[in-house]
Amino acid sequence: MTEQIKILVADDQGVIRMGLAMILDHEPDLTTVAQAGDGEEALRMITQYDPDVVLMDIRMPVMDGLEATARITKAAKESGRGRPAVLVLTTFDDEAYVLSAVRAGASGFLLKDTDPDLLVAAVRAVHRGDSLVDPASTRVLLERCVELERQVGSGPAEPAPSAGRWTGPLAQLSEREREILVWMARGLSNRDLATKLFVSETTVKTHVSSVLSKLGLSSRVQAVVVAYEAGVVRPGEAEVRWES
């Protein structure tokens, strides 16, 4: 029997909630266990239904998706369970919120009008611990957000080309962990990394966990942001890969 991935859909628009649930429930390994109309309701339903993945809208009444995501990931980290993973649903109009969602602990983000097959692949990806970005547009969105932060002075400045990039918390990483971080930032999944580095996926997961722990991060996509901000990977270098 196929293991079921339990999903909670949180969006203040009922039509969108039902549409997402219909797409997900069509898959034999996915099941929507609950739907919420705001972040506060989502938190209550997580306690009740214990989902593996939460699809979280950003703009919602009562409690928005950013606050709800931060509370969910904090509770998961404190419990040591590492679940549920949060997959944020966004639009290009929400670009100012993307980095906030990532820093709140979201495992990834998708555009609301994404292809259904991509949505299904995304849920499976974050459930198994892979970082998730929409290959059609989200890398561009992430790069734009990091650049906007630099322009307004609210984010780390771009290091000079001759400056050492492996400073601060990054200096704690071993040579292998630095390599893992760079390739994660370039969009490689655990499976891709295992193939590229000629090691097992279990070994890759161990290295990824160590990178996140040393940098005080809760998701791979947060590591991608750190890599961009430190200049370890520069805009245009990343290439996104997907697994179904």
Side-chain angles (χ1 to χ4, degrees):
M1 184 175 178
T2 304
E3 179 187 0
Q4 292 288 297
I5 299 175
K6 299 182 295 181
I7 306 155
L8 166 66
V9 179
D11 194 294
D12 63 333
Q13 298 183 50
V15 172
I16 292 180
R17 289 199 306 270
M18 289 186 289
L20 291 170
M22 287 179 62
I23 293 171
L24 298 169
D25 291 340
H26 184 71
E27 300 298 317
D29 59 329
L30 307 181
T31 181
T32 304
V33 294
Q35 299 181 31
D38 59 68
E40 191 172 278
E41 186 178 17
L43 293 179
R44 292 197 302 270
M45 288 187 168
I46 286 173
T47 301
Q48 183 176 355
Y49 293 98
D50 191 29
D52 300 303
V53 177
V54 178
L55 292 184
M56 182 73 74
D57 185 25
I58 289 180
R59 303 184 190 184
M60 293 187 291
V62 185
M63 180 187 294
D64 66 28
L66 298 179
E67 176 64 23
T69 296
R71 295 193 185 193
I72 291 168
T73 55
K74 180 181 179 182
K77 189 173 183 179
E78 289 176 347
S79 68
R81 300 181 65 202
R83 57 186 289 263
V86 180
L87 182 57
V88 170
L89 299 173
T90 185
T91 69
F92 269 108
D93 290 338
D94 291 329
E95 68 176 32
Y97 301 106
V98 169
L99 287 186
S100 295
V102 170
R103 292 192 173 109
S107 295
F109 43 95
L110 278 178
L111 296 181
K112 283 190 175 182
D113 61 355
T114 193
D115 182 83
D117 289 340
L118 201 56
L119 171 66
V120 169
V123 170
R124 290 173 179 151
V126 297
H127 177 252
R128 65 175 174 260
D130 271 336
S131 181
L132 182 281
V133 288
D134 181 343
S137 54
T138 312
R139 193 191 82 197
V140 176
L141 184 58
L142 180 60
E143 291 176 358
R144 186 188 309 169
C145 290
V146 171
E147 184 58 32
L148 283 173
E149 277 203 342
R150 290 186 180 130
Q151 290 176 2
V152 300
S154 58
E158 178 76 19
S162 60
R165 293 176 294 174
W166 301 101
T167 58
L170 294 179
Q172 304 175 65
L173 304 181
S174 68
E175 193 64 34
R176 175 61 91 182
E177 289 166 351
R178 293 177 183 183
E179 187 177 14
I180 291 283
L181 175 60
V182 168
W183 286 113
M184 276 200 298
R186 288 177 176 168
L188 271 67
S189 68
N190 287 343
R191 186 177 303 172
D192 291 329
L193 280 165
T195 300
K196 187 171 189 65
L197 302 176
F198 302 102
V199 297
S200 68
E201 283 191 57
T202 300
T203 299
V204 169
K205 289 179 180 179
T206 299
H207 285 310
V208 170
S209 295
S210 180
V211 169
L212 298 182
S213 177
K214 288 182 178 181
L215 299 182
L217 307 175
S218 59
S219 74
R220 290 169 56 114
V221 73
Q222 286 181 325
V224 174
V225 173
V226 168
Y228 272 115
E229 291 179 334
V232 171
V233 174
R234 300 182 186 279
E237 289 183 347
E239 60 182 49
V240 177
R241 300 190 181 184
W242 272 84
E243 299 173 0
S244 60

